[in-house]
Amino acid sequence: YSLRLKPYIERFSRGDTEMMLKMDTPFIAVDYNSYLYALRERIIQAAGVVGASDVDVDRLRDRNSKLKAAINAHLWDEADGFYYDADPRDMKRSEIKCIAGFAPLYAGIADNEQAEKLLGHLTNPSEFGTRYPCPSISMDMPEVDPSLPTYGGDSIITSGIWFTVEGLIRYGYDDLAAKYILSAIEMVTKGGPNSAYSYNSVTGECNLDRHTLASQSVILTDLICKYIIGLNPIMGCGVEVKPLALPFSTIESFSFGPYRYHDKTISVKWSKRSGYQLSATMENQQS
């Protein structure tokens, strides 16, 4: 279905379920290169935690330095203020504005000025600022159709909402991230809970058969646990408490737990009347 692939498929036809099988040209994807950068950063961090001396962190840092420079040199369009995919044959950037262009926020590749320009696209109602968060294709692109799943203009829980929210939080845009999380919850619970991956970014309707058993529910639950419940595990078996998106307008109260985290038992309660309460029990002592 993906309009993102249009520049790389000679016989492209919108809505053809076999388009990926007809792709003529491998392309340089801005999101996958950003994910590679982020993965190396995680490996470096993990090596430090576990003391893995056999991991060549200097080499990983050097490769990431070169990758970051290449992404900004070849995939960033200064005039548009946006990151695009590119054709490896001539390094020509795609003209399709897609949600993958925000992946450098997730990885920390963009500088603050680039982040501000990206935010302008994300919040523009004519581009990515739809009623429900993070359409896969900008609304001003030709042939965009938010009822088409997977980069047709739909809202995708994975590459759309999760990565974009994490990128916004990384750069300090907490209010917009909170708004997106609550809007995503509203979207996936319209007419009852649903765990599909593709939704109409304008109407919020599911683009697939409704179902409730899929990994998408885990992905959204991760955002709920971290930014509504507010529990963020940190190094050393601790937990940072940072609720961003308390649902003032949607529910009266919630409770979470008790659940076990290392040697602690943690519970969270919240209500409009009493506010946010966290309790942690450790070795028979309450704190």
Side-chain angles (χ1 to χ4, degrees), residues 39-79:
L39 176 60
R40 287 179 179 147
E41 292 287 297
R42 301 294 193 279
I43 294 172
I44 292 169
Q45 183 183 37
V49 171
V50 302
S53 58
D54 57 330
V55 177
D56 190 344
V57 295
D58 290 335
R59 181 170 179 266
L60 290 174
R61 288 194 180 103
D62 179 64
R63 295 188 70 175
N64 256 9
S65 177
K66 292 176 180 177
L67 177 58
K68 180 178 180 177
I71 290 172
N72 280 317
H74 299 291
L75 306 184
W76 172 256
D77 188 304
E78 181 63 30

Side-chain angles (χ1 to χ4, degrees), residues 25-275:
T25 306
F27 64 98
I28 300 172
V30 61
D31 49 351
Y32 282 93
N33 278 279
S34 297
Y35 302 157
L36 173 59
Y37 182 94
L39 176 60
R40 287 179 179 147
E41 292 287 297
R42 301 294 193 279
I43 294 172
I44 292 169
Q45 183 183 37
V49 171
V50 302
S53 58
D54 57 330
V55 177
D56 190 344
V57 295
D58 290 335
R59 181 170 179 266
L60 290 174
R61 288 194 180 103
D62 179 64
R63 295 188 70 175
N64 256 9
S65 177
K66 292 176 180 177
L67 177 58
K68 180 178 180 177
I71 290 172
N72 280 317
H74 299 291
L75 306 184
W76 172 256
D77 188 304
E78 181 63 30
D80 289 354
F82 200 79
Y83 287 99
Y84 294 94
D85 298 325
D87 189 320
R89 297 170 297 184
D90 55 13
M91 297 307 295
K92 180 181 179 181
R93 287 187 288 269
S94 165
E95 296 180 353
I96 306 295
K97 281 184 291 185
C98 66
I99 195 66
F102 299 98
L105 295 179
Y106 166 75
I109 290 170
D111 61 28
N112 290 334
E113 184 178 347
Q114 289 170 316
E116 281 291 317
K117 291 180 179 180
L118 289 170
L119 193 71
H121 292 286
L122 193 60
T123 57
N124 185 342
S126 299
E127 297 181 79
F128 293 90
T130 46
R131 168 65 181 83
Y132 294 94
C134 310
S136 55
I137 299 291
S138 175
M139 290 293 110
D140 62 354
M141 292 285 96
E143 299 186 86
V144 67
D145 182 350
S147 68
L148 288 176
T150 314
Y151 284 91
D154 56 327
S155 180
I156 307 174
I157 299 296
T158 48
S159 56
I161 294 171
W162 191 90
F163 280 103
T164 306
V165 164
E166 290 290 346
L168 289 172
I169 289 171
R170 180 170 192 150
Y171 283 79
Y173 300 117
D174 291 0
D175 290 345
L176 184 58
K179 176 184 175 182
Y180 280 4
I181 294 168
L182 294 177
S183 182
I185 294 170
E186 177 188 345
M187 180 177 69
V188 303
T189 55
K190 290 185 70 170
N194 187 16
S195 186
Y197 73 89
S198 173
Y199 299 81
N200 189 306
S201 57
V202 176
T203 67
E205 298 297 325
C206 181
N207 287 333
L208 305 165
D209 292 338
R210 298 185 66 83
H211 59 283
T212 56
L213 295 174
S215 60
Q216 310 306 313
S217 60
V218 178
I219 293 164
L220 188 55
T221 298
D222 177 69
L223 296 180
I224 292 171
C225 287
K226 289 190 292 189
Y227 304 123
I228 293 182
I229 306 301
L231 299 179
N232 291 267
I234 58 177
M235 293 297 177
C237 303
V239 176
E240 179 186 31
V241 180
K242 188 181 180 183
L244 299 180
L246 293 174
F248 294 110
S249 61
T250 54
I251 63 174
E252 292 292 327
S253 63
F254 67 75
S255 62
F256 183 80
Y259 82 100
R260 186 84 178 198
Y261 178 69
H262 289 278
D263 55 356
K264 305 174 184 67
T265 300
I266 299 176
S267 298
V268 171
K269 292 183 178 180
W270 175 84
S271 71
K272 291 182 179 180
R273 177 176 298 180
S274 59

